Amino acid sequence: MSNKGDIIALVPGASGWEIWEGPPPSGFLRKEVTQAERAGELGNLGATDLVMFFPVKDATVMPFKTTTSDESLFAELAQMHSERMGIRADPGAGQLIDEFVIEKGEESAVLATVVLRSPVEGDLPVRSPKEFDYSPRAYSFSGDGIAVWKEFSHWVFAFYQDGKMLYAQSTSNDQEQPDEALLRDIKLAIVQLSFQGISFTPKDVRVWHPAGELGEAGALGHAFGFHASVGRRPDPVMSKVPSKLLPADVHAERRAAAKRRQITGALGIAAALVLGFLGWGGWTLWRDIRATNALTAEAAAVQPEADAFNAHKSRWAELGPLVDEEQWPVETLFRITRCIAPGSRVRLREAQVSNNELRIKGQCDQAPPIGALSLAINKSDQLRRFKFNAAPPSNTAKGWEFTIEGTVPQEQQ
């Protein structure tokens, strides 16, 4: 982002999107507080450069510890870690994954992987931003600690290590003050970090309350052995380490703009060739041939890297049934059984499950629980790989019998 002139920053606020404006080195001044919860509803954003900070709920943060300090491997390690955790960034939706170095030693490093969910219509402003980032990275925090604030009426929290965002999570908690449920979510997140070999001990807890100093810390007041501070949320600033996040429609728009510039340039060259063909025809042809040869040489130089990447993707896909729990038949069957409502008396009699297909048969004394099971399976986030087809249940002497079939679409296999 250029340091010349003001820019506009879109920041998720306590009740709606906030519009800030100012020069990046000096920080921003709040221009407007809206009630809009979708960036596509915002208008009057001016004509200056635009930066958008995605809210906490729009991404999943997965810190982990590497066994190498080679930064050239960090992006691939972050990709593999997110896939092992069951989170896949849609490759057709732009650059939705980024990794940030939190701590680096001689033989290891701690990375925070941020995976953005694919934006849907209305999630992005009408005028495409020049840059994107993640809202917890917009706020200054010194040392190791926890920050809690509200975005769109719900509490969110972030862990900071040495002033860098280590972890962030949104909640469904909309209480006026931080309560015991929010405290449990925070403590559970600290335990989950330990499973990744990351020890996090907060030395500071800050409640950035919508009411500022008039708010209360609630259950967080002395939960960690010291007094939690209460105040207003800091003004947003641009991070010193830029983010690589870039959703697909913005990426496509930039490609289209680049193509338009190429076409315009090509038309200009063509006009020059027509005007100067007699004197410069030979020289232009020689220049084009040289440029073509240079581009051909550059393409040949990167071809081995492209081949290696494609081979890696192919090998990883082959190992999917072994290393990806999403493809384990036993795990799939377990997730199906979790969709059965307690006390519904639905019984599974037969199950044929592979990594890409499944077929289950069962029975029940009544028909409604069967419909509820079919609806729960179709709505389950843990079974979204499959496309299900369920025939109407049939009434027999033994009760209502049903069959549910599911297949993974060919493009996802």
Side-chain angles (χ1 to χ4, degrees), residues 232-357:
R232 61 183 293 273
R233 191 196 68 196
D235 293 344
V237 295
M238 295 295 295
S239 175
K240 295 180 180 179
V241 180
S243 166
K244 297 192 294 285
L245 297 173
L246 187 65
D249 61 344
V250 180
H251 189 51
E253 181 177 316
R254 294 185 182 179
R255 287 202 310 269
K259 187 174 182 180
R260 288 194 297 269
R261 289 194 297 269
Q262 291 175 352
I263 293 174
T264 302
L267 290 175
I269 292 174
L273 286 174
V274 171
L275 294 175
F277 178 76
L278 292 178
W280 299 94
W283 179 84
T284 303
L285 179 60
W286 171 81
R287 183 192 61 184
D288 291 345
I289 292 174
R290 186 177 63 173
T292 300
N293 291 339
L295 292 175
T296 302
E298 291 179 8
V302 300
Q303 187 61 43
E305 298 180 9
D307 293 341
F309 175 72
N310 291 331
H312 170 76
K313 288 180 60 178
S314 177
R315 288 194 298 270
W316 186 257
E318 292 175 359
L319 291 174
L322 296 178
V323 301
D324 184 4
E325 68 175 8
E326 295 282 342
Q327 301 186 42
W328 294 347
V330 173
E331 178 66 20
T332 300
L333 182 59
F334 172 69
R335 294 177 179 183
I336 290 175
T337 60
R338 291 182 63 182
C339 295
I340 300 176
S344 63
R345 299 182 64 84
V346 173
R347 299 177 295 279
L348 301 182
R349 296 189 297 103
E350 179 181 334
Q352 301 174 2
V353 184
S354 68
N355 61 320
N356 288 324
E357 296 181 344

Side-chain angles (χ1 to χ4, degrees), residues 56-71:
V56 175
K57 66 181 178 64
D58 281 359
T60 301
V61 183
M62 294 168 288
F64 71 104
K65 193 171 185 177
T66 71
T67 56
T68 178
S69 60
D70 187 351
E71 295 188 7

Side-chain angles (χ1 to χ4, degrees), residues 2-21:
S2 172
N3 292 341
K4 297 180 180 180
D6 290 355
I7 66 173
I8 292 178
L10 303 183
V11 180
S15 58
W17 281 98
E18 298 177 354
I19 302 175
W20 294 69
E21 186 174 7

